[in-house]
Amino acid sequence: MSQLNLQVPLNPTSLGQVSTNMLYEFFLKKLEPNIFLIGSPDINSFDGLLPEDFTKWLNHCCSKAQSEFKSSDPTLRLWHINGSYESVGKNNFLYFFHEVDQMTKTEKNILNNFEKVFSPCIFTENVGKEYGIKNISTIGLGYNSLAFKPVEVDEYQNNPTVITLAGKFENRKRTAKMIKLLSDNWGNNSKFKIHLHVFNPFYDQQNSERCNAINLQVIQNACGGKIPDNFVLMGHFQKLTDLNRCYNIADIVVDGSGGESWSLPSFHMAGLGKKTVVHYNSGIKEWANEDNCWLVNSSGKISADDGMFFNSKAPFNAGNIYDFEEEEMVKQIKNALKSKNKKNNLTNQFSYEKMADKILENIL
């Protein structure tokens, strides 16, 4: 079937991982959409996880796209709102992420020029409707079962409890607050190892040394100037198989983010059976509940402004995020530490097969 145009990124970002998983499902369904790539393709993070036939299929769908596409066919773009108006078709659909509680005039205008728009979470759907977005609905993400699965890993000597904080360093994710909290309560304690999967590659995409220096500096600042000796700073993982092994080492994952479309790292670690403590808000509510996580309720809202990724005066990414009380987060982490693992069914409940089926149902 070529009566479908896709405009997607294939890269190591969250959007790129979602795109790759979605395309893999279309491959399994033996569809042949016309694929137009956004940016330079890079699926090296999936090395060893995708069959050779998928790569051949992907190359075929990309190479034929310009000669076979029709602008009247449905065109699905998986991208940010900013830049999403660039399309090869006239019958346009958008799948996007949005993490704050407002939509700007520019965002509203762009979204309302699509036939339909989809986001991963009801939170974004409700925000969109509040700000006058028409034809917006929720299509949940899937569990990346290609990459994240239980594997045997080497454990630390003396068997310390491994607490993992994951998600790139951002004010939106309340990363500095979480690092200080972990430092104050579990830092320099040999019974614990604190894994920080917080490397943000977007601090400087042109200069890797400067990017590394900024990442180190923000962590040092969050710790009050000195990083505890039991903190382990994780760099940017090039392959998902390596990231999966590191996720498997964790005993507990903690997520204090104040605004998400989904929060893939904690979601995947929860699916691996790790004790999961989450700030219960926005897109995290799609998959986290009292049966599978320790929940920290929000204490109110604060501005998402950070001078880099979010700006209240900008045409995109303006709004508020949620915050939490430190005492409540510490309490729930301690509850998780002394409790047995909770059971969950995330790997079966959320699949990219379901996501792909829902997308096709809505655009064809």
Side-chain angles (χ1 to χ4, degrees):
M1 181 188 75
S2 295
Q3 293 76 38
L4 172 63
N5 306 319
L6 298 175
Q7 293 180 282
V8 297
L10 292 182
N11 55 42
T13 66
S14 295
L15 279 175
Q17 289 183 37
V18 171
S19 295
T20 304
N21 276 280
M22 182 183 71
L23 291 181
Y24 185 66
E25 289 301 326
F26 290 162
F27 160 75
L28 293 177
K29 293 177 184 297
K30 301 186 184 304
L31 305 179
E32 292 189 0
N34 298 307
I35 299 176
F36 296 84
L37 298 182
I38 302 173
S40 300
D42 178 4
I43 56 173
N44 291 328
S45 60
F46 279 83
D47 274 0
L49 301 175
L50 295 166
E52 185 178 342
D53 283 351
F54 171 77
T55 304
K56 293 179 180 177
W57 172 88
L58 179 61
N59 290 335
H60 169 68
C61 291
C62 290
S63 63
K64 75 181 181 68
Q66 291 189 40
S67 61
E68 293 192 10
F69 89 97
K70 294 180 181 178
S71 61
S72 58
D73 288 337
T75 299
L76 173 68
R77 189 177 183 94
L78 198 155
W79 195 241
H80 313 280
I81 301 175
N82 189 2
S84 62
Y85 44 79
E86 301 169 357
S87 178
V88 299
K90 298 176 182 178
N91 185 16
N92 294 315
F93 302 82
L94 175 69
Y95 193 99
F96 71 103
F97 292 2
H98 188 77
E99 297 94 359
V100 292
D101 67 344
Q102 298 175 14
M103 293 277 186
T104 68
K105 180 181 178 181
T106 300
E107 290 171 331
K108 175 182 175 180
N109 184 55
I110 292 173
L111 294 177
N112 277 339
N113 273 284
F114 285 91
E115 293 293 324
K116 290 182 182 179
V117 295
F118 315 105
S119 74
C121 61
I122 293 172
F123 168 76
T124 298
E125 179 181 339
N126 289 339
V127 170
K129 288 178 177 177
E130 179 184 350
Y131 281 83
I133 310 303
K134 305 170 185 176
N135 295 323
I136 183 171
S137 59
T138 299
I139 297 179
L141 295 179
Y143 189 88
N144 185 356
S145 56
L146 284 169
F148 299 107
K149 58 193 71 176
V151 295
E152 290 188 9
V153 292
D154 294 330
E155 297 184 353
Y156 285 107
Q157 249 184 336
N158 301 322
N159 199 29
T161 298
V162 177
I163 302 175
T164 295
L165 176 66
K168 60 185 182 294
F169 199 113
E170 281 188 37
N171 175 58
R172 170 176 64 91
K173 294 177 178 289
R174 312 306 290 132
T175 315
K177 184 173 185 175
M178 287 299 301
I179 289 176
K180 184 178 186 304
L181 181 153
L182 292 169
S183 178
D184 290 346
N185 290 275
W186 293 279
N188 298 313
N189 185 334
S190 61
K191 293 181 180 179
F192 298 90
K193 285 286 186 183
I194 312 297
H195 283 193
L196 298 183
H197 286 271
V198 300
F199 187 90
N200 191 331
F202 299 109
Y203 279 140
D204 194 324
Q205 294 179 271
Q206 308 304 319
N207 188 321
S208 60
E209 288 187 8
R210 175 171 162 73
C211 189
N212 292 337
I214 296 173
N215 274 278
L216 177 61
Q217 188 62 58
V218 295
I219 293 173
Q220 286 179 330
N221 292 345
C223 294
K226 186 176 182 181
I227 300 174
D229 58 20
N230 64 335
F231 275 35
V232 182
L233 278 56
M234 301 295 179
H236 185 60
F237 284 81
Q238 300 297 323
K239 295 185 179 181
L240 290 173
T241 50
D242 294 333
L243 181 60
N244 179 57
R245 279 193 286 272
C246 208
Y247 279 3
N248 271 269
I249 296 172
D251 296 298
I252 296 180
V253 54
V254 295
D255 188 342
S257 183
E260 294 288 343
S261 285
W262 199 264
S263 203
L264 289 171
S266 53
F267 168 66
H268 285 125
M269 278 190 271
L272 289 171
K274 307 304 178 181
K275 295 179 180 181
T276 306
V277 182
V278 296
H279 180 196
Y280 191 58
N281 72 90
S282 57
I284 294 174
K285 289 185 174 182
E286 292 298 311
W287 56 269
N289 55 57
E290 290 184 344
D291 293 330
N292 58 29
C293 294
W294 284 262
L295 308 180
V296 178
N297 292 319
S298 299
S299 59
K301 291 183 180 181
I302 59 174
S303 172
D305 283 18
D306 58 10
M308 182 172 292
F309 305 109
F310 293 84
N311 187 333
S312 60
K313 297 180 180 180
F316 299 95
N317 298 328
N320 301 298
I321 56 173
Y322 294 90
D323 204 5
F324 61 87
E325 296 291 344
E326 292 183 22
E327 294 80 2
E328 184 63 20
M329 178 64 74
V330 171
K331 174 185 173 183
Q332 290 294 59
I333 294 174
K334 288 181 177 179
N335 285 340
L337 285 169
K338 65 184 180 183
S339 302
K340 293 182 179 179
N341 289 40
K342 294 186 176 185
K343 294 183 179 180
N344 70 71
N345 192 36
L346 297 179
T347 57
N348 294 322
Q349 185 180 356
F350 299 98
S351 72
Y352 278 99
E353 179 182 12
K354 293 178 183 178
M355 177 190 175
D357 286 342
K358 196 70 175 177
I359 286 174
L360 294 173
E361 175 187 321
N362 274 272
I363 69 177
L364 296 182

